[in-house]
Amino acid sequence: MAMDCCAPIRPLFTHKLSLSKTCKPQVIGSSVVFSSTRTTPLLVSSFSGKLEPLFHKPISSSGCKLRLIAKVGDRADYSTGKEETNSLDSEVDSEEEFSWSSVILPFVFPAIGGLLFGYDIGATSGATLSLQSPELSGTSWFNISAVQLGLVVSGSLYGALLGSLLVYPIADFLGRRRELIIAAVLYALGSLTTAYCPDLGILLAGRLLYGLGIGLAMHGAPLYIAETCPSRIRGTLISLKELFIVLGILLGYLVGSLQINTIGGWRYMYGFSAPVALLMGLGMSILPPSPRWLLLRAVQGKAPSEDSKEQAIVALSKLRGRPPGDKLSEKQIEETFLSLKSAYSEQESEGSIWEVFQGPSLKAFIIGGGLVLFQQITGQPSVLYYAGPILQNAGFAAASDATRVSVVIGVFKLLMTWVAVLKVDDLGRRPLLIGGVSGIAVSLLLLSAYYKFLDGFPIVAVGALLLYVGCYQISFGPISWLMVSEIFPLRTRGKGISLAVLTNFGSNAIVTFAFSPLKELLGADNLFLLFGAIALLSLLFVTLQVPETKGLSLEEIESKILK
């Protein structure tokens, strides 16, 4: 809102006091703000420089600053400002206007990267049953060992791990858009290689290629969405990205269910993702780059400032569905650029690799990295990738029966993710995390009890799986990636998220690969008991370490929480 200098501010008293050196005015939006070390708080009566005392007698303030926030044409509002973390910007900042139609495409095409990740999880659940079947595999090498099966299942995760390592030093150079286009190409190549492989070695190579796409997509997608969407719907959109992962899992379960009785059905299950990857690549090619990334490059001195600002204005106009180079976008880009330049003028132009392990970035990594680590080591990849075999052990002996029940679990997972999407910007991150992780612990202990002494009640296994899936989808599933995308400072955001993704896929690959051998060594009952104990530990971590970021802009998270 533009400031109307003719609009009066109504004084409460008539005694006037001249402006002194100890009282410095600031104009923020439509407000005038004074910070004073005086013991008498002040009220501005007009823009003439005259001030009114709020009280006739001095007030003991114990040395704390007394601040006035006087909105034009309205009564003044006073706060004692004892904590420097109370941002004036958040008190006077108006919410950005946007239309939902303009944010759909910048969300959907990056989110397809998550859908293809989820599809791999769902398709692998059915593909492992098809690949090992003497009648259905369509190969002469169907009799693979537990270690070979672990490599097939976790091959894409090792690729994701490698992709995270490769993108770590070049993420800020590539940019979010180009990173997602490359991810789409890798998805397509990996899918086609796996579908047409003649032997186990080529199958593993295809799984590795597909995984490289996962690593780049799961790094670039939350970054692009977080940096291009309006702040007040950031939680909703990044949670919706998790919904796309779940849609992918459900789609994988459905394709697996349809192809489970087809000879060589696992080839169709893996090959189906190629045309979807093509759609993702074409979609990202028509989207603009992230305006924040363009400005960051300028602040780092790696691109001319004026050119970067012009490109950022055009990009923001396109992202918000406005006319090219409109005044509102120009104003927003200029304010963001000045904010970035001011914030980092006294620091190195770009966060170094090791800076992620220092100061605010280290705190962010402990929060984000801790969440994605516990997301995996509480058994998530094992429960999802091995849903089919678990259900077979629970009494659904036929592969077709197990895949059908997997579809039911996928639908339930989708519904619970929608609950998280609706509530994450309402209830906040912490309540959903604490409630969901508590349910995860209970479900894992129930699975352990089923394998120990309740094996005559298959409903317990199915119920525990549903409880696990539901609680995971309102907690670790969407909120871990949401926190990772918003918690890191801008200077180290690219490298910090790379490291968090690396942590996620590293732990995911280890847990997924080790599940079959550990199951043989410890037994399913003790393995799920171990996962349950880790879930209780993760609940303690969430309670003690994870802050609430609901309603805060990326800049406010950095200034209020990390510093």
Side-chain angles (χ1 to χ4, degrees):
M1 180 186 296
M3 182 171 66
D4 182 2
C5 294
C6 296
I9 298 179
R10 287 167 286 181
L12 299 181
F13 299 93
T14 56
H15 179 72
K16 302 204 173 170
L17 185 67
S18 298
L19 182 66
S20 73
K21 294 181 180 180
T22 61
C23 186
K24 298 180 180 180
Q26 299 179 36
V27 177
I28 301 179
S30 60
S31 303
V32 181
V33 181
F34 290 88
S35 296
S36 175
T37 54
R38 293 179 179 272
T39 56
T40 304
L42 307 172
L43 172 65
V44 66
S45 59
S46 69
F47 285 94
S48 62
K50 300 295 184 177
L51 299 170
E52 310 284 358
L54 177 60
F55 303 102
H56 291 289
K57 295 181 180 180
I59 302 174
S60 176
S61 61
S62 303
C64 72
K65 290 185 178 181
L66 291 169
R67 298 185 306 195
L68 164 67
I69 302 173
K71 292 195 174 182
V72 178
D74 203 350
R75 289 194 179 275
D77 183 24
Y78 294 85
S79 63
T80 56
K82 292 182 180 180
E83 299 181 26
E84 291 297 326
T85 58
N86 287 337
S87 171
L88 292 175
D89 290 340
S90 65
E91 293 174 271
V92 298
D93 185 37
S94 60
E95 293 184 333
E96 179 184 0
E97 293 296 328
F98 69 94
S99 64
W100 276 97
S101 60
S102 67
V103 301
I104 290 175
L105 292 183
F107 161 75
V108 167
F109 290 119
I112 290 177
L115 182 141
L116 288 168
F117 173 41
Y119 179 81
D120 184 67
I121 296 174
T124 297
S125 179
T128 53
L129 299 177
S130 174
L131 185 60
Q132 296 178 94
S133 171
E135 299 83 15
L136 301 176
S137 69
T139 69
S140 58
W141 38 276
F142 60 85
N143 191 22
I144 59 179
S145 67
V147 171
Q148 289 172 325
L149 177 63
L151 287 173
V152 171
V153 173
S154 62
S156 62
L157 298 175
Y158 286 113
L161 184 63
L162 179 59
S164 302
L165 282 169
L166 293 175
V167 81
Y168 185 83
I170 61 172
D172 287 336
F173 167 75
L174 282 178
R176 298 30 166 154
R177 176 175 167 268
R178 279 185 291 184
E179 185 179 349
L180 289 168
I181 292 174
I182 295 171
V185 172
L186 290 168
Y187 271 140
L189 289 175
S191 174
L192 293 173
T193 302
T194 305
Y196 291 101
C197 69
D199 54 45
L200 182 61
I202 303 299
L203 171 61
L204 293 177
R207 300 287 291 143
L208 191 70
L209 273 175
Y210 195 93
L212 287 171
I214 294 175
L216 268 66
M218 296 308 290
H219 173 268
L223 264 177
Y224 188 88
I225 295 171
E227 291 184 358
T228 58
C229 73
S231 297
R232 62 182 163 128
I233 59 169
R234 187 178 64 246
T236 298
L237 289 184
I238 296 180
S239 298
L240 275 173
K241 184 190 73 69
E242 174 67 19
L243 187 70
F244 268 61
I245 296 177
V246 177
L247 280 171
I249 294 172
L250 179 57
L251 184 61
Y253 285 155
L254 285 170
V255 174
S257 179
L258 292 173
Q259 298 295 328
I260 192 63
N261 291 321
T262 304
I263 303 298
W266 58 273
R267 296 183 185 274
Y268 298 100
M269 297 177 199
Y270 283 133
F272 182 82
S273 53
V276 184
L278 178 62
L279 176 64
M280 173 188 169
L282 292 174
M284 288 307 307
S285 67
I286 65 173
L287 289 176
S290 160
R292 268 192 176 95
W293 175 75
L294 290 169
L295 295 178
L296 177 63
R297 299 293 289 171
V299 170
Q300 292 171 345
K302 296 184 177 180
S305 296
E306 291 304 316
D307 290 348
S308 295
K309 284 195 286 185
E310 288 179 9
Q311 294 173 32
I313 291 168
V314 172
L316 184 61
S317 300
K318 189 173 182 180
L319 288 166
R320 295 294 181 267
R322 302 168 185 159
D326 69 294
K327 293 298 182 182
L328 180 56
S329 296
E330 184 178 346
K331 178 183 177 183
Q332 289 176 324
I333 290 299
E334 186 63 35
E335 289 174 351
T336 303
F337 179 75
L338 292 175
S339 175
L340 291 177
K341 192 173 181 180
S342 174
Y344 302 122
S345 60
E346 299 178 359
Q347 306 177 43
E348 297 176 23
S349 60
E350 181 179 6
S352 66
I353 290 176
W354 297 111
E355 190 177 348
V356 177
F357 302 100
Q358 301 171 12
S361 296
L362 176 60
K363 184 175 181 180
F365 178 66
I366 290 172
I367 296 167
L371 283 174
V372 296
L373 175 65
F374 281 116
Q375 179 192 59
Q376 301 305 321
I377 63 176
T378 49
Q380 181 268 151
S382 302
V383 172
L384 295 180
Y385 278 110
Y386 291 92
I390 289 172
L391 290 168
Q392 281 187 314
N393 290 334
F396 300 93
S400 57
D401 291 338
T403 53
R404 287 192 190 100
V405 179
S406 294
V407 171
V408 174
I409 291 177
V411 172
F412 180 68
K413 187 178 175 71
L414 184 68
L415 293 174
M416 293 306 295
T417 306
W418 187 248
V419 172
V421 168
L422 294 176
K423 293 298 181 182
V424 68
D425 281 327
D426 180 19
L427 295 178
R429 284 61 159 157
R430 273 178 58 85
L432 290 174
L433 274 173
I434 292 172
V437 175
S438 300
I440 286 173
V442 171
S443 66
L444 289 167
L445 295 176
L446 280 175
L447 277 174
S448 175
Y450 168 76
Y451 281 103
K452 278 185 179 294
F453 48 79
L454 295 176
D455 54 347
F457 302 93
I459 190 65
V460 173
V462 176
L465 277 175
L466 289 173
L467 179 62
Y468 183 96
V469 165
C471 291
Y472 178 85
Q473 289 314 130
I474 64 169
S475 58
F476 277 146
I479 296 176
S480 295
W481 289 109
L482 170 58
M483 295 289 289
V484 164
S485 69
E486 64 186 7
I487 197 68
F488 284 98
L490 180 61
R491 294 179 65 243
T492 57
R493 186 169 297 148
K495 291 182 173 65
I497 293 180
S498 295
L499 195 58
V501 171
L502 185 66
T503 302
N504 178 274
F505 287 119
S507 55
N508 192 330
I510 292 171
V511 172
T512 302
F513 172 76
F515 182 82
S516 287
L518 282 176
K519 186 179 174 184
E520 291 183 1
L521 178 65
L522 301 176
D525 54 346
N526 291 322
L527 183 56
F528 284 115
L529 184 62
L530 175 62
F531 285 146
I534 296 173
L536 291 174
L537 184 62
S538 68
L539 179 61
L540 182 64
F541 169 79
V542 169
T543 304
L544 297 179
Q545 293 292 329
V546 178
E548 181 57 72
T549 58
K550 179 184 72 171
L552 299 178
S553 70
L554 297 178
E555 290 75 21
E556 287 172 333
I557 290 171
E558 182 174 349
S559 63
K560 287 186 173 184
I561 293 176
L562 300 181
K563 293 182 180 180

